[in-house]
Amino acid sequence: MKKIGLLSVMLFCTFAFTFAQEEEQDWRKIFPRHELNLGIGDPAYASLQRGSIWDLLAWDILFSDGDNLNQWFMPDTYHGEYIATCPISLGYMYRLRKFLWLGASVSYMGVIGDVFDAHDNSFLYRHKETQIAFLPSVRFSYLNKKYVTLYSGFSSGFLLNFEKDNGATNVYFHPTFQVTAFGVSAGRKFFGYTEVGFGYKGYITAGIGYRFNAKTNKEL
C-alpha cells in the first residue's frame, strides 16, 4: 500500500513538473519578452515633492499681489505662478515570467517661474528646474491575454533636481517612487497603455510602446 501511495505521489509530481514546463514554453511562444514604453503623466505629485505645495493649491493666484506665502521665508522676493511640464517617461521592461516583469524608467520634468522684488514688484530673474527621476520597477500582470494585459506595479528610485536661480545652479537629491494600482495595455507588438496610481509619474499616465523578440504561435 505504501508503495502504491509513493508511486502515486511520484506520478503526480512528474505530471505537475511536465505541465509547468509546457506552460512555461507556451507563454514564451505567445508573449513578447522585451518592452519599450513612452508615457506622459500629470505633474501633481512631482509638484508636491519639490516642496511647492502652495503652487499646487494655486496660492500664487490667490495672493497674486505679492503678499503670498513665500514672503514668510523670503521677505525680499516672491515668485509668480510656476509652470511645469508633465512628467515624460521612457521605460524598459523584461518579462521574466508570464506574470512577472522587471525593468526601469527615466522620467523628465521641467519647471519655470518668475521671481519678483517684494517691494516694487519688479522682475528679478527666472527660476528654472530640470528634474530627472530614475526608477527601477517591478510589475505583476494578473490578466495575460494575447492583446490585453492588466497589471499592477511598484517603482522606487531617486530624483535629481537641477535648480537655476539668478545665475547660480544647485543640485538636489531626493528619493522618489511610483505605485501603479491599476494598469491596462492593449495591443500585441505595438500597444497603448493607461495607468492609475500615485507617485512621481503622476496619478494618471498614458502612453505607447513596442514589444519585441516574440515567438508567435499562429494557432493561438
Side-chain angles (χ1 to χ4, degrees):
M1 195 67 176
K2 291 183 179 180
K3 291 182 179 181
I4 295 176
L6 181 60
L7 180 62
S8 299
V9 172
M10 292 178 63
L11 290 174
F12 175 78
C13 292
T14 302
F15 173 78
F17 178 78
T18 302
F19 178 80
Q21 290 294 104
E22 291 178 351
E23 180 71 13
E24 181 80 3
Q25 294 174 0
D26 286 344
W27 77 260
R28 291 174 186 267
K29 294 178 181 178
I30 300 171
F31 301 109
R33 303 195 69 183
H34 303 273
E35 176 186 305
L36 293 174
N37 57 72
L38 177 66
I40 184 169
D42 65 86
Y45 180 81
S47 296
L48 280 172
Q49 188 165 19
R50 64 179 298 277
S52 299
I53 299 178
W54 41 85
D55 294 327
L56 182 66
L57 299 177
W59 284 109
D60 287 327
I61 297 175
L62 295 177
F63 297 93
S64 58
D65 61 352
D67 186 22
N68 65 25
L69 295 183
N70 272 5
Q71 293 191 47
W72 296 355
F73 307 100
M74 300 168 59
D76 296 328
T77 63
Y78 71 94
H79 64 75
E81 183 178 8
Y82 280 135
I83 299 175
T85 65
C86 292
I88 300 173
S89 301
L90 177 64
Y92 166 79
M93 298 298 293
Y94 176 74
R95 195 166 201 151
L96 188 62
R97 291 290 183 267
K98 182 179 180 180
F99 64 92
L100 177 63
W101 308 63
L102 299 176
S105 66
V106 179
S107 298
Y108 162 83
M109 190 178 83
V111 180
I112 60 173
D114 294 334
V115 179
F116 301 90
D117 189 290
H119 302 290
D120 58 11
N121 296 326
S122 60
F123 171 80
L124 295 177
Y125 59 88
R126 173 156 289 183
H127 172 89
K128 297 181 180 180
E129 294 183 26
T130 299
Q131 298 184 10
I132 301 176
F134 300 90
L135 292 164
S137 307
V138 59
R139 178 196 296 173
F140 303 95
S141 53
Y142 48 86
L143 178 66
N144 300 282
K145 298 296 183 181
K146 190 173 181 180
Y147 295 103
V148 178
T149 304
L150 301 182
Y151 59 91
S152 298
F154 179 77
S155 304
S156 179
F158 63 91
L159 169 70
L160 289 176
N161 191 3
F162 301 87
E163 293 189 6
K164 187 174 182 180
D165 278 311
N166 201 21
T169 301
N170 298 307
V171 181
Y172 300 97
F173 176 92
H174 307 282
T176 191
F177 70 96
Q178 179 72 30
V179 175
T180 302
F182 173 79
V184 55
S185 67
R188 182 170 170 79
K189 289 189 175 181
F190 293 96
F191 65 93
Y193 71 93
T194 300
E195 298 177 352
V196 178
F198 176 77
Y200 185 81
K201 293 181 181 180
Y203 295 99
I204 299 177
T205 306
I208 58 175
Y210 175 69
R211 299 189 183 110
F212 56 97
N213 197 31
K215 295 181 179 180
T216 58
N217 188 337
K218 297 182 179 179
E219 297 180 358
L220 297 174

